[in-house]
Amino acid sequence: MNTDDEIEMEGILPNLLFGDGAGAVLITDQKDEGLWELNEPDCVLMDGETSSFINMRTKENGYYLNLSKELVPSLATALSQNWSRILKNLTKTSNTDEVEWLVHPGGKAILETFTRLEPPLSHSNLRHSLKVMEEKGNLVSATLLFVLELMLSQPSKEVACLIGPGPGVEVKFMSLNKV
């Protein structure tokens, strides 16, 4: 990430925090023991005009990112209005401790939003995301793959839920079941 004279103040912090990362996932139709099966995805759209909440553009020197201060409050509202539906439809439980939570660590404020939901995710539920945020920072899209890699190296549950941002702004969810 880079910054230049054209970036407003809202763009300085994201450009300091975000880095570059790459990752890949192999998806197959095999159902071997120990693998994870992808389930139907879901998403939550944020209300109102959100196109200015996350902006990334490419320039000659690299990527430039702006995050609006309205992102986290809008995310909190959208999640709180849809959280029970997400839990019921994707994880099939209301007990958050029965699920491996793989939340894109877009920043501390975003992760803290999940601790204020009802039922909340604890810091223990968010351990993989918090560890990746602490050790690698936010590597944009690839960050969630680093969280997934960490969980796969030490799985303790039979169900996992991936949560990451999407264009618009939306939040995408996908559950996984251990085969």
Side-chain angles (χ1 to χ4, degrees), residues 45-105:
L45 296 174
M46 293 187 205
D47 289 333
E49 174 53 46
T50 61
S51 63
S52 65
F53 286 10
I54 302 174
N55 286 308
M56 181 181 269
R57 60 189 175 173
T58 306
K59 294 183 84 178
E60 193 172 298
N61 313 14
Y63 296 104
Y64 296 85
L65 181 70
N66 281 0
L67 296 178
S68 169
K69 293 175 185 167
E70 298 172 56
L71 175 63
V72 173
S74 181
L75 172 68
T77 300
L79 286 173
S80 65
Q81 291 171 349
N82 293 278
W83 189 238
S84 60
R85 177 183 60 82
I86 293 295
L87 291 175
K88 179 182 172 191
N89 293 347
L90 288 180
T91 67
K92 310 293 189 239
T93 182
S94 60
N95 184 348
T96 58
D97 291 331
E98 294 177 2
V99 178
E100 290 281 7
W101 294 97
L102 312 171
V103 180
H104 185 288

Side-chain angles (χ1 to χ4, degrees), residues 117-175:
L117 296 172
E118 195 54 49
L121 296 184
S122 67
H123 284 111
S124 177
N125 294 138
L126 295 168
R127 68 189 178 285
H128 303 304
S129 301
L130 290 165
K131 184 168 182 156
V132 168
M133 186 174 72
E134 178 184 319
E135 293 180 358
K136 299 185 185 322
N138 187 336
L139 304 171
V140 195
S141 299
T143 310
L144 194 51
L145 297 180
F146 286 98
V147 176
L148 176 62
E149 177 186 44
L150 184 59
M151 186 280 291
L152 291 174
S153 71
Q154 46 189 285
S156 64
K157 311 264 184 342
E158 298 295 313
V159 176
C161 187
L162 291 157
I163 303 173
V169 171
E170 64 186 14
V171 182
K172 300 237 182 213
F173 298 83
M174 179 175 283
S175 65

